[in-house]
């Protein structure tokens, strides 16, 4: 299968190989054993030799076009995977692509909607408001005069991206076979995660459904706006949204001129982000100034391509993590990190606790006003990275979103503190999640799980005894299975005891 794909996209493979060589990464092709297959002879004279490895990697991605640029942008959200210098460089990746020509825009819209563009948008704004690697945005009006924005996908971008994603997956597969570090870091899983995220961004129907969900979640909020999707004219390649006139949230001068209170704006924005993450479990993962505006006293969120989703179990864990951090409980913090992170087989827990303890001492006597969330999160991520703990993609997105949000708040007013703004909402959240009624429900759920667990134990014990009786454990006696069984006993006995006491 790999060989078939490799030959099907041979020219693109050669382009990737030559671009790697151009920026000093030709040795990668040799490591993968692809030199002969691609008839590739790397030139030792690489350009930009004065640049750092991270800077040269960015040059490679920019030269290879939209898929690789978007891949790098998504990778920049994964601070648990790469050193900080690589993250900084990847964050600088720009979609340096020229706008679509008028005839191309017309062709996409008319082929998708089956009508002449003038029949739907009589006065189409041909100059785009924004242009990126996947698509571009135009302002116009519907036939009834209603103002909208139209997001138009670039022709054949999906097909081109699928070819590049196949090549990226092939390269990851070769690395997984040829190098030990690729297996250690689970590079195939990482590529799969990033590919899924990228495919989601090129499906405008999915983006539209994301917008609908945001609107539903904030239907009772009078200071949060998510532009409505005009479904009648939206497809997988065209997305039409209500046009909402707003001021860019980072434009302090215009906000001042309109008499908008910056402190109130900052508070509304942070409350909206915290609500999305910790209450709804569904959040805007790319809230940079270009995607956030201000209309009077309301926050306007735009572009629903990148979202994060947090299930109830993970949400509870994140809240517990924050509580443990507030209580300075080092062991509790480590337990939770190991609970939801993917950890290698060998980890020095004692050293990990010592590093967390050092971080604790640094913030021990600081008030909420003195704590910079962004800096604290970065330091926590540095520790996670040091011990090769791979955190869930949505947790990484959450950290990135909070860092971006804090940056916006700091622009509005450097003296404002994100923790101080979020504290009242945090108290409300704690009361909602840890009152007598929610605890009662959790105890009931736990009791049901206990019964299910106990019903499985006899079967598991029988299987284990049979394996011992027939000598099947002679070769397969590994700590993995034994530790799981012991853990099962501990969980069962602890839960049973708790249930009996309750």
């Amino acid at each position: 299968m790999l060989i078939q794909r490799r030959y099907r996209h041979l020219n693109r493979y050669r382009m990737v190989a030559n671009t790697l060589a151009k920026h000093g990464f030709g040795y990668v092709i040799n490591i993968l054993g692809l030199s002969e297959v691609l008839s590739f002879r790397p030139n030792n004279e690489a350009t930009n030799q004065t640049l750092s490895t991270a800077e040269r990697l960015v040059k490679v991605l920019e030269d290879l076009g939209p898929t690789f640029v978007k891949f790098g942008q998504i990778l920049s959200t994964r601070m648990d995977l790469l050193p900080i210098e690589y993250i900084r460089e990847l964050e600088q990746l720009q979609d340096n692509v020229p706008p679509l020509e008028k005839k191309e825009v017309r062709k996409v819209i008319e082929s998708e909607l089956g009508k002449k563009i003038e029949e739907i948008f009589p006065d189409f704004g041909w100059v785009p408001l924004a242009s990126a690697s996947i698509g571009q945005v135009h302002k116009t009006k519907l036939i009834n005069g209603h103002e909208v924005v139209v997001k138009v996908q670039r022709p054949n971008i999906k097909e081109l991206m699928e070819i590049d994603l196949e090549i990226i997956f092939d390269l990851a597969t070769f690395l997984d076979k040829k190098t030990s570090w690729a297996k250690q870091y689970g590079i195939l899983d990482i590529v799969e995660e990033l590919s899924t995220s990228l495919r989601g961004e090129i499906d405008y129907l999915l983006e539209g459904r994301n917008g609908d969900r945001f609107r539903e979640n904030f239907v009772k909020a009078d200071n949060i706006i998510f532009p409505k999707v005009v479904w009648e004219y939206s497809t997988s390649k065209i997305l039409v949204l209500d046009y909402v006139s707003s001021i860019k949230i980072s434009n302090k001068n215009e906000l001042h001129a309109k008499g908008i209170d910056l402190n109130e704006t900052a508070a509304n924005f942070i409350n909206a982000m915290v609500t999305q993450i910790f209450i709804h479990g569904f959040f805007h993962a790319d809230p940079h100034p270009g995607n956030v505006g201000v209309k009077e006293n309301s926050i306007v969120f735009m572009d629903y391509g990148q979202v994060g989703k947090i299930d109830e179990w993970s949400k509870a864990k994140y809240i517990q993590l924050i509580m443990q951090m507030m209580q300075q409980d080092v062991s509790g913090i480590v337990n939770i990190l190991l609970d939801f992170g993917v950890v290698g087989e060998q980890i020095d827990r004692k050293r990990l606790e010592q590093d967390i303890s050092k971080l604790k001492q640094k913030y021990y006597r600081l008030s909420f006003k003195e704590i910079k969330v962004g800096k604290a999160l970065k330091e926590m991520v540095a520790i996670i990275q040091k011990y090769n703990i791979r955190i869930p993609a949505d947790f990484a997105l959450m950290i990135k979103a909070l860092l971006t949000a804090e940056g916006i708040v700091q622009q509005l007013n450097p003296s404002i503190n994100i923790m101080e703004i979020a504290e009242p909402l945090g108290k409300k959240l704690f009361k909602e999640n840890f009152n007598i009624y929610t605890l009662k429900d959790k105890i009931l759920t736990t009791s049901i799980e206990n019964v299910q667990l106990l019903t499985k134990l006899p079967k598991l014990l029988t299987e284990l005894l049979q394996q011992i009786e027939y000598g099947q454990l002679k070769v397969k006696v590994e700590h993995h299975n034994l530790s799981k069984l012991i853990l099962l006993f501990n969980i069962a006995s602890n839960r049973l005891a708790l249930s009996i006491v309750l």
Side-chain angles (χ1 to χ4, degrees):
M1 189 65 157
L2 286 180
I3 293 173
Q4 287 176 356
R5 288 210 302 254
R6 197 185 314 151
Y7 281 106
R8 191 164 71 238
H9 310 313
L10 192 58
N11 288 334
R12 184 57 170 163
Y13 262 108
R14 285 178 178 150
M15 189 183 296
V16 171
N18 287 326
T19 305
L20 286 168
K22 175 185 173 183
H23 296 289
F25 296 102
Y27 61 88
V28 174
I29 301 301
N30 290 328
I31 289 173
L32 297 175
L34 293 175
S35 300
E36 292 301 320
V37 177
L38 301 177
S39 302
F40 170 73
R41 296 290 180 271
N43 184 347
N44 292 326
E45 291 299 320
T47 59
N48 301 320
Q49 291 182 349
T50 58
L51 300 179
S52 69
T53 305
E55 289 171 323
R56 286 187 286 116
L57 175 61
V58 167
K59 294 292 182 185
V60 168
L61 299 176
E62 287 176 338
D63 283 0
L64 288 175
T67 308
F68 287 85
V69 168
K70 290 302 298 183
F71 206 80
Q73 288 173 341
I74 294 171
L75 192 57
S76 73
T77 67
R78 298 304 305 274
M79 290 178 289
D80 57 317
L81 300 179
L82 293 172
I84 191 65
E85 60 268 22
Y86 282 82
I87 297 297
R88 286 198 198 101
E89 292 301 326
L90 289 171
E91 286 175 338
Q92 306 307 311
L93 271 169
Q94 298 296 320
D95 293 325
N96 295 318
V97 290
L100 289 171
E101 293 182 11
K102 181 178 176 179
K103 62 180 180 181
E104 292 177 299
V105 174
R106 176 182 288 276
K107 185 178 179 181
V108 173
I109 293 176
E110 291 183 351
S111 63
E112 284 295 301
L113 301 180
K115 292 182 179 179
K116 289 286 184 183
I117 197 168
E118 289 79 11
E119 294 178 52
I120 307 166
F121 311 113
D123 187 22
F124 194 82
W126 293 105
V127 178
L129 298 177
S131 180
S133 56
I134 293 177
Q136 59 190 47
V137 180
H138 297 260
K139 181 187 173 187
T140 186
K141 291 181 181 179
L142 295 174
I143 200 79
N144 62 6
H146 185 68
E147 287 191 310
V148 294
V149 291
V150 182
K151 193 172 181 179
V152 183
Q153 194 172 108
R154 289 181 175 273
N156 304 316
I157 190 68
K158 184 175 181 179
E159 293 75 14
L160 292 171
M161 282 194 166
E162 285 300 332
I163 291 171
D164 282 346
L165 288 176
E166 281 187 6
I167 290 173
I168 291 169
F169 187 79
D170 286 354
L171 294 176
T173 302
F174 282 118
L175 282 171
D176 188 67
K177 291 178 179 177
K178 298 278 186 179
T179 65
S180 58
W181 64 264
K183 278 190 182 298
Q184 179 185 349
Y185 282 92
I187 192 166
L188 285 174
D189 292 338
I190 292 167
V191 167
E192 193 63 45
E193 273 181 17
L194 297 176
S195 298
T196 300
S197 179
L198 183 50
R199 287 187 177 103
E201 285 197 47
I202 59 176
D203 182 354
Y204 286 175
L205 289 175
L206 177 59
E207 183 175 340
R209 290 194 293 272
N210 290 340
D212 280 356
R213 184 167 173 183
F214 279 125
R215 282 176 58 80
E216 280 178 32
N217 288 343
F218 284 94
V219 69
K220 294 182 180 178
D222 56 4
N223 58 1
I224 307 296
I225 297 173
F226 287 91
K228 185 180 179 182
V229 179
V230 183
W231 282 110
E232 185 181 355
Y233 302 114
S234 294
T235 72
S236 61
K237 296 180 181 178
I238 304 284
L239 184 63
V240 181
L241 301 161
D242 283 353
Y243 173 73
V244 179
S245 177
S246 64
I247 302 167
K248 197 173 179 180
I249 195 168
S250 58
N251 192 338
K252 289 173 63 175
N253 292 336
E254 195 171 347
L255 291 173
H256 267 305
K258 293 287 184 180
I260 294 171
D261 188 309
L262 298 187
N263 288 350
E264 184 181 350
T265 297
N268 289 342
F269 173 56
I270 289 302
N271 283 333
M273 288 303 302
V274 173
T275 299
Q276 289 173 44
I277 293 169
F278 294 108
I279 294 179
H280 301 154
F282 184 80
F283 62 93
H284 196 302
D286 193 24
H288 65 74
N291 285 338
V292 184
V294 182
K295 179 181 173 65
E296 297 173 351
N297 292 316
S298 297
I299 305 297
V300 183
F301 285 91
M302 294 165 276
D303 196 327
Y304 316 134
Q306 276 195 46
V307 298
K309 301 172 186 176
I310 304 175
D311 58 33
E312 290 301 318
W313 182 88
S314 299
K315 200 186 336 176
K317 283 292 177 186
Y318 299 156
I319 294 170
Q320 286 176 38
L321 178 61
I322 293 169
M323 289 171 60
Q324 302 289 8
M325 291 170 73
M326 291 173 67
Q327 294 169 5
Q328 313 285 327
D329 183 350
V330 173
S331 182
I333 292 170
V334 170
N335 285 338
I336 293 169
L337 286 177
L338 298 183
D339 265 356
F340 66 64
V342 178
V343 185
E345 289 189 6
Q346 294 185 352
I347 187 167
D348 190 334
R349 184 186 171 102
K350 187 174 181 181
R351 282 186 59 203
L352 175 58
E353 287 190 356
Q354 287 173 347
D355 284 342
I356 296 287
S357 184
K358 288 176 186 174
L359 192 61
K360 179 194 87 168
Q361 294 302 324
K362 182 175 181 178
Y363 292 99
Y364 183 67
R365 295 188 181 280
L366 297 183
S367 67
F368 271 172
K369 291 182 181 180
E370 297 172 289
I371 295 173
K372 300 293 182 187
V373 173
K375 188 177 179 183
L377 284 172
K378 283 180 180 177
E379 289 175 332
M380 176 69 80
V381 169
I383 292 173
I384 288 170
Q385 193 180 71
K386 178 180 176 180
Y387 291 91
N388 297 329
I389 301 171
R390 204 171 90 237
I391 57 179
D394 286 315
F395 183 56
L397 279 176
M398 180 190 79
I399 292 174
K400 181 75 173 178
L402 287 173
L403 286 171
T404 306
E406 186 180 45
I408 289 175
V409 168
Q410 292 298 306
Q411 285 183 42
L412 290 172
N413 187 342
S415 65
I416 296 176
N417 184 276
I418 189 173
M419 291 288 279
E420 190 176 7
I421 294 172
E423 186 181 7
L425 186 59
K427 288 178 179 177
K428 178 186 173 185
L429 186 65
F430 178 82
K431 288 177 183 177
E432 288 177 357
N433 280 270
F434 295 93
N435 61 48
I436 188 66
Y437 301 106
T438 55
L439 286 174
K440 181 187 71 174
D441 291 340
K442 287 172 185 176
I443 290 166
L444 180 60
T445 303
T446 302
S447 299
I448 293 169
E449 288 174 356
N450 292 342
V451 173
Q452 293 173 341
L453 193 62
L454 286 170
T455 57
K456 291 178 183 178
L457 271 177
K459 183 181 176 183
L460 290 171
L461 284 170
T462 301
E463 289 175 357
L464 180 63
L465 290 171
Q466 284 176 349
Q467 287 180 3
I468 293 171
E469 182 180 353
Y470 295 116
Q472 293 176 352
L473 288 181
K474 287 181 180 177
V475 178
K476 293 194 174 184
V477 174
E478 296 181 6
H479 286 301
H480 305 300
N481 295 333
L482 192 57
S483 62
K484 283 181 182 176
L485 185 65
I486 292 169
L487 178 62
L488 203 60
F489 274 123
N490 285 338
I491 291 171
S493 59
N494 289 340
R495 287 182 173 178
L496 182 60
L498 176 63
S499 299
I500 290 168
V501 170
L502 290 170

